[in-house]
Short mmCIF file of all heavy atoms in Angstrom, two decimals:
data_model
loop_
_atom_site.label_atom_id
_atom_site.label_comp_id
_atom_site.label_asym_id
_atom_site.label_seq_id
_atom_site.Cartn_x
_atom_site.Cartn_y
_atom_site.Cartn_z
N THR W 18 185.53 124.87 82.48
CA THR W 18 185.97 124.01 83.60
C THR W 18 185.86 124.64 84.95
O THR W 18 186.40 124.16 85.93
CB THR W 18 187.46 123.62 83.37
OG1 THR W 18 188.25 124.83 83.35
CG2 THR W 18 187.65 122.83 82.09
N ILE W 34 196.71 116.47 83.05
CA ILE W 34 195.50 116.28 83.80
C ILE W 34 194.34 116.49 82.84
O ILE W 34 194.37 117.43 82.01
CB ILE W 34 195.40 117.29 84.96
CG1 ILE W 34 196.65 117.10 85.88
CG2 ILE W 34 194.14 117.07 85.75
CD1 ILE W 34 196.74 118.17 86.92
N GLY W 41 179.69 125.40 74.66
CA GLY W 41 178.41 125.44 73.95
C GLY W 41 177.48 124.43 74.59
O GLY W 41 177.22 124.47 75.79
N LEU W 42 177.01 123.49 73.82
CA LEU W 42 176.16 122.42 74.36
C LEU W 42 176.86 121.08 74.31
O LEU W 42 176.23 120.03 74.49
CB LEU W 42 174.83 122.34 73.53
CG LEU W 42 173.95 123.58 73.56
CD1 LEU W 42 172.75 123.39 72.67
CD2 LEU W 42 173.49 123.91 74.98
N GLY W 59 206.75 119.55 73.87
CA GLY W 59 206.94 118.75 72.63
C GLY W 59 205.92 117.68 72.47
O GLY W 59 205.37 117.42 71.38
N ASN W 98 182.86 106.57 79.51
CA ASN W 98 182.76 105.31 80.24
C ASN W 98 184.10 104.82 80.78
O ASN W 98 184.27 103.63 81.04
CB ASN W 98 182.10 104.24 79.36
CG ASN W 98 181.35 103.23 80.17
OD1 ASN W 98 181.26 103.31 81.37
ND2 ASN W 98 180.82 102.24 79.49
N LEU W 105 188.18 96.27 83.15
CA LEU W 105 188.72 94.92 83.19
C LEU W 105 189.09 94.50 84.61
O LEU W 105 188.91 93.35 85.02
CB LEU W 105 189.92 94.84 82.25
CG LEU W 105 190.46 93.45 81.91
CD1 LEU W 105 189.40 92.60 81.23
CD2 LEU W 105 191.69 93.59 81.02
N LEU W 156 180.57 100.62 75.03
CA LEU W 156 181.82 99.89 75.18
C LEU W 156 182.63 99.86 73.89
O LEU W 156 183.51 99.00 73.72
CB LEU W 156 181.58 98.49 75.69
CG LEU W 156 180.99 98.36 77.10
CD1 LEU W 156 180.81 96.89 77.47
CD2 LEU W 156 181.86 99.05 78.13
N ASN W 229 207.51 86.96 84.23
CA ASN W 229 206.54 88.05 83.97
C ASN W 229 205.35 87.41 83.20
O ASN W 229 205.33 86.21 82.92
CB ASN W 229 207.17 89.19 83.21
CG ASN W 229 207.62 88.83 81.83
OD1 ASN W 229 207.19 87.87 81.20
ND2 ASN W 229 208.55 89.62 81.25
N ARG W 235 203.35 81.99 77.94
CA ARG W 235 203.95 81.10 76.94
C ARG W 235 204.28 79.76 77.51
O ARG W 235 204.04 78.71 76.89
CB ARG W 235 205.22 81.76 76.42
CG ARG W 235 204.99 82.97 75.54
CD ARG W 235 206.31 83.66 75.16
NE ARG W 235 207.09 82.75 74.28
CZ ARG W 235 207.02 82.84 72.93
NH1 ARG W 235 206.19 83.70 72.38
NH2 ARG W 235 207.73 82.03 72.19
N GLY W 241 200.18 72.98 77.68
CA GLY W 241 198.73 72.79 77.49
C GLY W 241 197.92 73.08 78.73
O GLY W 241 196.90 72.42 78.94
N ASP W 256 183.70 79.96 73.44
CA ASP W 256 183.21 78.82 72.65
C ASP W 256 184.33 78.25 71.83
O ASP W 256 184.15 77.96 70.62
CB ASP W 256 182.07 79.29 71.72
CG ASP W 256 180.86 79.75 72.51
OD1 ASP W 256 180.46 79.03 73.45
OD2 ASP W 256 180.35 80.86 72.19
N LYS W 271 206.51 87.63 70.08
CA LYS W 271 207.84 87.01 69.78
C LYS W 271 208.93 88.05 69.93
O LYS W 271 208.73 89.24 69.75
CB LYS W 271 207.80 86.41 68.36
CG LYS W 271 207.11 85.10 68.27
CD LYS W 271 207.21 84.55 66.85
CE LYS W 271 206.78 83.09 66.81
NZ LYS W 271 207.78 82.23 67.50
N LEU W 287 191.81 88.25 63.98
CA LEU W 287 190.87 88.41 65.10
C LEU W 287 189.43 88.63 64.60
O LEU W 287 188.47 88.17 65.21
CB LEU W 287 191.29 89.58 65.98
CG LEU W 287 192.57 89.38 66.79
CD1 LEU W 287 192.92 90.66 67.57
CD2 LEU W 287 192.44 88.21 67.75
N GLY W 327 198.67 77.61 62.47
CA GLY W 327 199.52 78.54 63.19
C GLY W 327 199.64 78.10 64.67
O GLY W 327 200.75 78.11 65.21
N MET W 332 202.66 75.62 69.18
CA MET W 332 202.78 74.57 70.20
C MET W 332 204.05 73.76 70.02
O MET W 332 204.79 73.47 70.96
CB MET W 332 201.58 73.68 70.16
CG MET W 332 200.26 74.35 70.59
SD MET W 332 200.29 74.82 72.35
CE MET W 332 200.24 73.22 73.12
N THR W 345 217.09 80.90 76.23
CA THR W 345 217.40 81.66 75.01
C THR W 345 217.45 83.15 75.34
O THR W 345 217.01 83.59 76.42
CB THR W 345 216.35 81.42 73.95
OG1 THR W 345 215.11 81.93 74.40
CG2 THR W 345 216.25 79.93 73.62
#
Side-chain angles (χ1 to χ4, degrees):
T18 60
I34 302 172
L42 298 177
N98 210 2
L105 193 59
L156 297 181
N229 66 21
R235 291 174 66 93
D256 296 312
K271 282 183 165 292
L287 290 178
M332 293 295 291
T345 64

